[in-house]
Amino acid sequence: MGQKINPYGFRLGITTDWKSRWFSEKDYKKYLHEDIEIRQYLKRNLSHAGISRVEIERTRDRVRVDIHTARPGVVIGRRGAEADRIRADLDKMTGKQVTLNILEVKGAETDAQLVAQGVAEQLASRVSFRRAMRRAINSAMKGGAKGIRVQCSGRLGGAEMARTEFYREGRVPLHTLRADIDYGLAEGRTTFGMVGVKVWIYRGDVLPSREEQEADRARARARAAAGGPSSERRSGGGRSRTGRDTGRDTGRPAGRGRRRPGGRAGQGVTDRC
């Protein structure tokens, strides 16, 4: 009870898309470890840039890396020097030509990963965890979120025993597949240990577009036309034969009456003159 699945993986292929888009049969292991190294390198070198997510797409001889960040100026650097350095390191790491795209995240207050990083940074700066959580909730609700849950785990406030506390406001339907729920995880390094921060943000439902709905209706009409009318139930032309008529279901011989007081079983009673 109480175990939560990752909202991103739970909706993968339904309302969310893969963060790594490529296919390989022979070099799958190599590409997988390269993706992990790329993400770890960016997280380590751009920890102060507010990176929300990193998307990787591969072709035969090229690699495209999309960095979604709230501070694109920090990633680009002065006259693009920082971006050139990152691109050169990724070229050396993968052995292929890397295309680096730096995309700005709009609405950072409703991005779960950025909110979690913000709370973790405040905890590392010795801010009260309750104040940091409340501040994140208020900014997300003002930014247009329909619901948010912030959870902190660890030695909160320097306590001797670790515990978990969370605050929630609005709706966070974790079991609704069409719900657009963003999830973020960050860790704050404090003087009394590591504190984990988890954030769930509900941003509304992902509904199909009008074109997709019309296409679904057209497919349903085509299936109905191809299948024809539904087959009718075949009846026996009259009342079904039951145990009252045949006696097969009840175990009594057909055509004989019930046992009555004063007579033998299976025979009726006649009046005596």
Side-chain angles (χ1 to χ4, degrees):
M1 294 295 292
Q3 304 301 319
K4 300 292 186 297
I5 191 172
N6 192 304
Y8 173 80
F10 186 49
R11 294 165 177 80
L12 192 61
I14 301 174
T15 58
T16 60
D17 195 8
W18 281 259
K19 295 180 181 178
S20 293
R21 294 183 291 273
W22 47 266
F23 176 80
S24 177
E25 293 182 351
K26 297 181 180 180
D27 298 328
Y28 179 85
K29 178 181 177 181
K30 175 185 175 183
Y31 290 166
L32 178 62
H33 284 282
E34 279 186 3
D35 289 0
I36 295 174
E37 290 178 3
I38 289 172
R39 289 191 168 91
Q40 289 179 349
Y41 168 81
L42 295 175
K43 182 179 180 181
R44 183 173 58 252
N45 289 271
L46 300 175
S47 58
H48 56 286
I51 295 179
S52 172
R53 65 185 184 275
V54 178
E55 297 180 352
I56 302 174
E57 187 171 340
R58 294 177 181 268
T59 58
R60 180 168 298 180
D61 55 350
R62 290 193 176 187
V63 180
R64 193 184 76 185
V65 179
D66 297 338
I67 302 177
H68 298 261
T69 174
R71 303 168 186 169
V74 177
V75 181
I76 297 173
R78 181 174 296 179
R79 297 182 181 178
E82 186 70 16
D84 293 339
R85 185 183 64 83
I86 293 173
R87 188 181 299 107
D89 292 344
L90 295 181
D91 287 343
K92 189 181 301 182
M93 187 183 303
T94 60
K96 296 181 180 180
Q97 184 178 359
V98 177
T99 302
L100 189 65
N101 297 326
I102 301 170
L103 307 175
E104 183 180 2
V105 175
K106 296 181 179 179
E109 62 274 1
T110 58
D111 190 286
Q113 183 63 34
L114 297 179
V115 172
Q117 291 178 8
V119 174
E121 290 175 359
Q122 294 180 54
L123 294 178
S125 302
R126 307 181 68 89
V127 178
S128 172
F129 71 96
R130 289 192 180 91
R131 180 179 300 176
M133 294 166 70
R134 286 295 185 186
R135 189 181 302 172
I137 289 175
N138 293 334
S139 62
M141 296 303 290
K142 290 179 181 179
K146 295 188 176 180
I148 180 175
R149 169 177 168 149
V150 181
Q151 175 178 307
C152 291
S153 302
R155 294 182 58 188
L156 302 178
E160 291 293 327
M161 183 175 293
R163 67 181 189 274
T164 299
E165 286 196 16
F166 71 90
Y167 290 98
R168 183 178 60 191
E169 188 170 344
R171 293 179 57 237
V172 186
L174 296 179
H175 284 208
T176 305
L177 288 176
R178 67 171 179 269
D180 182 13
I181 294 182
D182 195 14
Y183 172 74
L185 170 64
E187 295 176 343
R189 298 179 179 271
T190 65
T191 57
F192 39 82
M194 189 82 72
V195 176
V197 182
K198 294 181 180 180
V199 176
W200 295 262
I201 295 180
Y202 173 51
R203 298 184 292 197
D205 292 341
V206 179
L207 300 177
S209 61
R210 182 176 300 177
E211 291 78 8
E212 294 177 350
Q213 293 178 359
E214 292 178 356
D216 292 341
R217 295 193 194 99
R219 283 194 292 267
R221 287 194 296 267
R223 284 196 298 266
S230 60
S231 58
E232 299 178 357
R233 295 180 59 188
R234 295 182 179 179
S235 59
R239 191 161 56 97
S240 62
R241 302 174 68 187
T242 60
R244 182 177 296 180
D245 300 327
T246 61
R248 293 177 183 174
D249 295 340
T250 58
R252 295 194 301 270
R256 297 187 179 182
R258 299 178 181 176
R259 183 174 182 177
R260 298 180 181 178
R264 288 178 297 178
Q267 295 182 353
V269 179
T270 57
D271 295 335
R272 297 180 180 180
C273 300

